[in-house]
Amino acid sequence: MKISFFESYFNKKINAKESDFSEISTDTRSIKPGALFIALKGENFDGNAFIDLALEKGAVAVITSNSDYLSHASCVFVKDTLVAMQELGRAWQDEVNPKVLAITGSNGKTTAKFFTNQLIHEFAKTSFSPKSYNNEIGVPFTQLNLKKDDQVLISEIGTNNPGEIEALTKMVSPTASVVTTVGPSHIERFQTLENIGIEKSQIYRHSKKSECFIFNLDNEYTLKMYKELKSKCDRAITFSTKNESADIFLKSEQVSISNLHLKGRVFDLKVDTNLSLFGEHHVYNIMVALAFGSYLNIPVVKLIKNLNAVQTPWGRCQVFKTEAGGAILFDAYNANLQSNKALLESAKKIDMK
């Protein structure tokens, strides 16, 4: 974020030599000199207790709800630091004015986000969160990390409780949105898959700019969204591993420990390619990335050529070769049963030849 924008937004001059904050931080354990420190307050922590430490470590500005710092030269006093963070994040996003690609779903959000960035960053300057920052803190944190010349923001949107996707969608105002799939993630909070589907659909229902909706035709709940909401956007893009009439139709022909053979069609272009990936479930994440690339008007032939750049993020279906000629499959991050099941289903189909 530009420091001049921060100063103008809060009408406060701070003593900073650089033009941009080095980072946005909520954690003094890893804070860098030149950072903006936001003193968030939760049930079990209070960032206001670490303001002096943040300043000692080189933070050039602090957002705080502690009135003791009301007149401090480097501190901005607000009633609620989380609300201030969210409002500042949205204001900064409006200033940068990127295309906003929003991703939600019971599975695949983070991997689809990484694949999308890997596929398109050669053609547009992108910004995205390096981890699963998809809640009321993570979403504005991602907005605040935008650079002034960024053209695309890839925003991951999650939910633990009803109403969260609506709130986060309104926070980022996506220009293009996707629900990767609907499954039993957080079923204890939503009780039924139908309720989860309703919650996920809010990303379409509250995307005011609605330039493009991307739909998965293989899941009964996302298929229902397609039938109901496809006319509510300027352009609808569909993807499937089963329905050959989809705009993007790909399926895995062969699975090995370090290779995924894809065959099918991306709009009018036939595809027959091998990727250095393990896990046939990644076909869906790849199709999401291809759909976003198409929305951004990147030629399909260039997107297909760039598929070789796609790699899974840390802890998700990573393959490490051993000195003895074997391989270790590292998939420590998966946090729900559906993801683990997809991994095991792919493992069963490995061609050991």
Side-chain angles (χ1 to χ4, degrees):
M1 174 191 280
K2 289 285 183 186
I3 291 176
S4 59
F5 179 84
F6 177 89
E7 292 175 325
S8 175
Y9 182 86
F10 286 110
N11 192 27
K12 179 167 182 128
K13 188 75 175 175
I14 61 173
N15 184 23
K17 297 178 181 179
E18 302 298 325
S19 60
D20 294 68
F21 290 111
S22 62
E23 67 169 354
I24 310 300
S25 175
T26 60
D27 189 344
T28 54
R29 291 172 298 181
S30 58
I31 196 169
K32 298 177 182 177
L36 166 61
F37 177 65
I38 304 175
L40 295 179
K41 186 175 182 179
E43 293 181 7
N44 302 311
F45 65 89
D46 186 355
N48 290 295
F50 301 96
I51 292 174
D52 291 339
L53 180 59
L55 293 169
E56 286 173 14
K57 288 190 169 184
V60 295
V62 173
I63 299 176
T64 175
S65 57
N66 185 342
S67 59
D68 291 346
Y69 293 86
L70 189 61
S71 59
H72 195 287
S74 298
C75 296
V76 171
F77 173 75
V78 297
K79 276 189 172 183
D80 187 312
T81 51
L82 177 57
V83 171
M85 180 184 189
Q86 293 170 342
E87 292 177 347
L88 180 62
R90 179 53 194 264
W92 177 236
Q93 179 187 307
D94 288 345
E95 175 73 10
V96 177
N97 194 30
K99 295 288 187 182
V100 182
L101 317 181
I103 306 172
T104 193
S106 298
N107 304 90
K109 294 185 294 295
T110 302
T111 302
K113 176 184 67 180
F114 274 88
F115 283 5
T116 298
N117 178 68
Q118 291 164 357
L119 203 60
I120 71 174
H121 82 278
E122 180 182 323
F123 310 101
K125 196 166 186 306
T126 61
S127 182
F128 69 104
S129 63
K131 297 181 181 179
S132 299
Y133 294 158
N134 57 35
N135 61 9
E136 72 279 5
I137 297 173
V139 168
F141 182 85
T142 304
Q143 292 172 309
L144 289 169
N145 276 285
L146 279 161
K147 302 299 183 185
K148 187 63 175 75
D149 59 347
D150 282 334
Q151 299 167 297
V152 178
L153 171 64
I154 310 171
S155 184
E156 181 181 343
I157 293 178
T159 181
N160 291 319
N161 297 288
E164 289 183 342
I165 288 183
E166 175 182 347
L168 296 175
T169 300
K170 289 178 176 178
M171 198 178 294
V172 299
S173 289
T175 54
S177 308
V178 68
V179 179
T180 58
T181 190
V182 173
S185 178
H186 302 298
I187 192 74
E188 71 281 2
R189 304 286 180 87
F190 293 93
Q191 302 302 313
T192 67
L193 282 172
E194 288 77 9
N195 288 339
I196 294 174
I198 291 170
E199 173 71 8
K200 300 297 184 186
S201 73
Q202 302 309 309
I203 199 171
Y204 298 129
R205 299 180 192 279
H206 295 282
S207 294
K208 289 185 178 179
K209 296 186 178 180
S210 302
E211 292 180 5
C212 181
F213 289 165
I214 298 165
F215 295 100
N216 177 1
L217 301 186
D218 292 352
N219 179 274
E220 66 173 296
Y221 300 99
T222 54
L223 177 59
K224 182 179 179 181
M225 295 175 203
Y226 167 68
K227 293 176 179 177
E228 181 183 352
L229 300 168
K230 62 182 178 181
S231 63
K232 304 296 183 182
C233 60
D234 297 333
R235 180 186 180 192
I237 299 175
T238 59
F239 64 90
S240 175
T241 64
K242 302 172 184 177
N243 187 335
E244 294 188 28
S245 66
D247 296 312
I248 301 174
F249 169 71
L250 293 176
K251 56 183 180 178
S252 61
E253 291 290 300
Q254 188 179 33
V255 178
S256 75
I257 194 66
S258 58
N259 181 72
L260 184 63
H261 181 195
L262 294 183
K263 196 170 183 179
R265 175 183 49 77
V266 179
F267 295 95
D268 295 328
L269 186 65
K270 290 185 177 180
V271 175
D272 190 342
T273 187
N274 290 291
L275 304 182
S276 299
L277 291 173
F278 168 76
E280 66 177 354
H281 53 288
H282 286 314
V283 177
Y284 287 98
N285 300 322
I286 289 166
M287 291 191 290
V288 167
L290 288 167
F292 277 132
S294 175
Y295 156 69
L296 294 170
N297 295 316
I298 301 169
V300 173
V301 65
K302 292 185 177 181
L303 292 172
I304 299 302
K305 184 178 179 180
N306 221 29
L307 279 177
N308 290 325
V310 169
Q311 292 293 321
T312 54
W314 181 90
R316 292 172 171 87
C317 291
Q318 289 179 290
V319 176
F320 298 97
K321 297 294 180 65
T322 67
E323 293 182 0
I328 296 172
L329 178 60
F330 179 56
D331 196 62
Y333 193 89
N334 273 337
N336 63 60
L337 182 61
Q338 194 173 20
S339 294
N340 289 324
K341 183 178 178 181
L343 169 72
L344 295 173
E345 288 296 325
S346 287
K348 284 164 54 178
K349 298 179 181 179
I350 292 175
D351 184 352
M352 300 302 291
K353 296 179 182 179

